[in-house]
Amino acid sequence: MNSLLIIILALFLSAFFSAVEFSFFASNKLRIELDRKQGNLPSLSSDYAMIGELYQEMDDLAEAEKNFKLAESVAQSIDAPMELAAARHDLGILYKAQGRKSKAREYLRAAEEILRGIDAPAYKAVQADLLSLDGTR
């Protein structure tokens, strides 16, 4: 009897969290459409980055990369250096997780260069990620 109760509870919790995840993705996609229609491009870049992070947490790295690239593209088109650095940092971390060290290094260095140019506090975090690739620059 206890086993049956545990199984039912596990199924209920699984369904509940799947519904929460689905509604979160749906609300973010709706937010993207609103930002696009309103011309709020800096927010649009952040929205894509957030969705990319969610996909990365779910180990859907192809979708994560797609959304990080969209964030990068929007940030580049509106000349938003902080958003561009964040998108390139996210891509660098993604490539590092995939074991693509040279690609990770390329994007982390690009983020580092942007942040150094604007003297942003996130600069040190990007430097630490670069060093963690293999302990060298």
Side-chain angles (χ1 to χ4, degrees), residues 36-112:
R36 186 179 290 144
K37 286 181 181 176
Q38 293 173 351
N40 190 356
L41 296 181
S43 183
L44 183 61
S45 178
S46 298
D47 295 342
Y48 281 128
M50 186 184 338
I51 290 176
E53 290 170 8
L54 291 171
Y55 277 120
Q56 188 171 8
E57 287 177 20
M58 295 181 343
D59 285 330
D60 189 343
L61 302 184
E63 280 297 315
E65 180 179 17
K66 177 179 135 187
N67 281 279
F68 290 147
K69 287 281 192 180
L70 286 167
E72 177 188 35
S73 176
V74 170
Q76 206 164 21
S77 73
I78 60 170
D79 193 28
M82 285 299 294
E83 287 81 4
L84 182 58
R88 289 183 175 164
H89 182 238
D90 289 336
L91 283 162
I93 296 300
L94 175 77
Y95 294 139
K96 178 182 171 187
Q98 292 175 326
R100 298 165 63 185
K101 285 187 175 184
S102 66
K103 198 85 166 151
R105 192 172 286 108
E106 172 189 339
Y107 277 88
L108 290 171
R109 282 188 178 147
E112 178 187 42

Side-chain angles (χ1 to χ4, degrees), residues 6 17-18 22 34 62 76 85 95:
I6 291 172
F17 288 115
S18 290
F22 175 78
L34 288 172
Q76 206 164 21
Y95 294 139

